[in-house]
Amino acid sequence: MIWLAALVLAIWLGLVATGFWTCREADDNAPFAAPDVWPEVVAVVPARNEADVITRSIGSLLRQDYAGPFRVVLVDDNSEDGTGDQARALGGERLTVLSGAPLAAGWTGKLWAVHQGIIEAGVPRYLWLTDADIEHAPDTLTRLVGIAHGGNRRLVSFMALLSCLTWAEKWLVPAFIWFFMMLYPFNWINRPKSPISGAAGGCVLVEREALEAAGGIGAMRGALIDDCTLGALIKKQGPIWLGLTRRSVSIRPYANWREIGMMIARSAYAQLRYNPLMLVGTVLGLALMFGAPVWLALGAKGAVQVMGLIALGLMLGSYQPILGFYDRAPMRALALPLVALFYVSCTIYSAWAHYRGKGGMWKGRAQALDASGDISGA
């Protein structure tokens, strides 16, 4: 058993050493430089059945205090709840509302809408890709452009502050961000020479010419994890930056654990490239990472128990910064093994849904890759 304890301890020492957990990569800490002339930016917002939040999200874009030319293109992706009409009622010269064309074969719904919005945007210096359920502080765009200019970044992305008010959100949302940072360490992504890349789809500023050089949105038309796919494409063109923020806030609450589970399951198996061997490896790996430290710390003796306790301490300690960022009590870290079990269950469900032809279910569409490599349910 000492070999198991040594392996578990080595895993957690290695993870902690990466610094993924520190939460230091945040918009207020990033290099910022105001350009001499603020460049033109067009925000592109795909929206499908977002009537309950569209006024707040688009309203926050229209209230940006950005000093340069700026406008908003909303693409109503065949909504059935009056999303487009509510957006049009906001009016103003800054806002264009498009009625989206029927979903094209081989595209996910969101990216097809984004593609249409980019065409409408014309030739600005930057495109601001944001979701219809995100509300932005008035200085968000200024901060995005300043960070891009300050580090000559081709892409700047803010990880929106997720809702953390309901019982389920308080226990599960901080872990969602923590696991994301573990998979895509922000501090490594932000190193220009690092091969690690990623982005957060709720708030992405991307240089239009860099996007075109990368093949445009069409180069990732079938991606379910579109934000990280975009980050990988753009990092081949130059430096990118990803960090936490409180300026961009998700206004889409998750009422219960089921809603959060469906959000996770939408893309979990896609993250594993639809590979059953990777699924098995992931389940075993998470059991080793989150189950073994508890078992060793409570059930073993001597040196094995000591190593288990150290591993458990590293696990719980590395979770503290994200709990603090979301204003949650430090003791909530004690539930982390159970939270990890929930995420494992969501991943297994994601694979099960995929093989039933219901993978990537979102907004009434099943849009994961099927056996032939096409988008199912498109």
Side-chain angles (χ1 to χ4, degrees):
M1 196 154 52
I2 194 167
W3 294 107
L4 174 63
L7 175 60
V8 172
L9 180 57
I11 289 172
W12 278 106
L13 286 171
L15 282 172
V16 168
T18 68
F20 81 90
W21 50 279
T22 62
C23 295
R24 292 173 184 165
E25 302 296 314
D27 53 353
D28 287 333
N29 299 331
F32 178 95
D36 294 333
V37 178
W38 291 89
E40 181 182 3
V41 181
V42 176
V44 175
V45 187
R48 178 173 168 84
N49 296 333
E50 302 280 9
D52 56 337
V53 295
I54 198 66
T55 299
R56 286 178 63 186
S57 62
I58 297 301
S60 74
L61 292 174
L62 298 177
R63 290 190 294 272
Q64 292 297 302
D65 58 7
Y66 184 64
F70 172 62
R71 58 194 179 93
V72 180
V73 176
L74 170 75
V75 183
D76 181 17
D77 181 18
N78 300 282
S79 296
E80 301 165 343
D81 64 352
T83 293
D85 292 336
Q86 289 201 27
R88 290 184 183 92
L90 295 172
E93 296 181 355
R94 272 185 165 183
L95 177 63
T96 300
V97 180
L98 297 181
S99 295
L103 182 60
W107 289 76
T108 63
K110 175 182 177 179
L111 292 178
W112 176 238
V114 170
H115 173 69
Q116 296 171 75
I118 289 175
I119 293 174
E120 175 67 23
V123 290
R125 171 72 183 278
Y126 292 106
L127 296 163
W128 185 9
L129 309 181
T130 183
D131 291 341
D133 59 357
I134 304 294
E135 185 173 26
H136 303 279
D139 66 340
T140 302
L141 181 55
T142 298
R143 194 72 194 175
L144 285 165
V145 173
I147 293 173
H149 183 70
N152 194 29
R153 310 285 184 179
R154 300 292 182 262
L155 178 150
V156 175
S157 181
F158 290 170
M159 172 62 75
L161 188 73
L162 300 185
S163 175
C164 198
L165 300 175
T166 68
W167 183 89
E169 290 172 338
K170 290 176 182 178
W171 289 104
L172 299 173
V173 162
F176 179 84
I177 304 300
W178 189 70
F179 284 128
F180 186 94
M181 294 192 301
M182 186 183 292
L183 288 171
Y184 302 98
F186 294 1
N187 55 333
W188 287 29
I189 288 170
N190 297 343
R191 298 172 187 171
K193 295 183 180 180
S194 167
I196 308 298
S197 60
C203 182
V204 179
L205 184 80
V206 59
E207 192 177 66
R208 179 187 55 80
E209 290 184 353
L211 179 60
E212 291 179 354
I217 291 296
M220 48 181 281
R221 66 186 65 185
L224 279 186
I225 310 175
D226 51 84
D227 44 11
C228 291
T229 303
L230 178 61
L233 286 174
I234 301 302
K235 193 160 188 181
K236 295 177 182 177
Q237 308 301 317
I240 65 175
W241 190 90
L242 169 62
L244 298 168
T245 189
R246 289 190 172 90
R247 287 182 167 88
S248 300
V249 179
S250 173
I251 51 178
R252 173 73 63 200
Y254 295 96
N256 51 54
W257 64 268
R258 187 181 298 276
E259 291 185 3
I260 296 176
M262 293 304 295
M263 180 266 292
I264 297 164
R266 181 176 70 96
S267 59
Y269 199 41
Q271 179 71 54
L272 301 179
R273 303 175 186 175
Y274 308 105
N275 187 322
L277 292 179
M278 290 187 68
L279 174 64
V280 172
T282 297
V283 172
L284 293 176
L286 290 174
L288 187 67
M289 290 172 59
F290 295 97
V294 177
W295 178 58
L296 293 170
L298 299 180
K301 296 181 179 180
V304 171
Q305 185 179 45
V306 171
M307 286 190 283
L309 286 168
I310 295 173
L312 183 61
L314 292 171
M315 178 177 73
L316 301 181
S318 65
Y319 195 46
Q320 294 303 317
I322 196 63
L323 285 175
F325 189 82
Y326 274 89
D327 297 321
R328 298 298 109 203
M331 293 299 289
R332 286 183 181 269
L334 295 175
L336 188 55
L338 292 177
V339 173
L341 179 61
F342 173 81
Y343 277 78
V344 169
S345 301
C346 293
T347 303
I348 294 172
Y349 176 82
S350 178
W352 181 66
H354 170 76
Y355 290 114
R356 290 174 57 238
K358 300 294 183 181
M361 184 63 71
W362 198 248
K363 300 291 182 180
R365 291 175 175 147
Q367 49 187 16
L369 292 176
D370 59 25
S372 66
D374 295 327
I375 302 294
S376 63

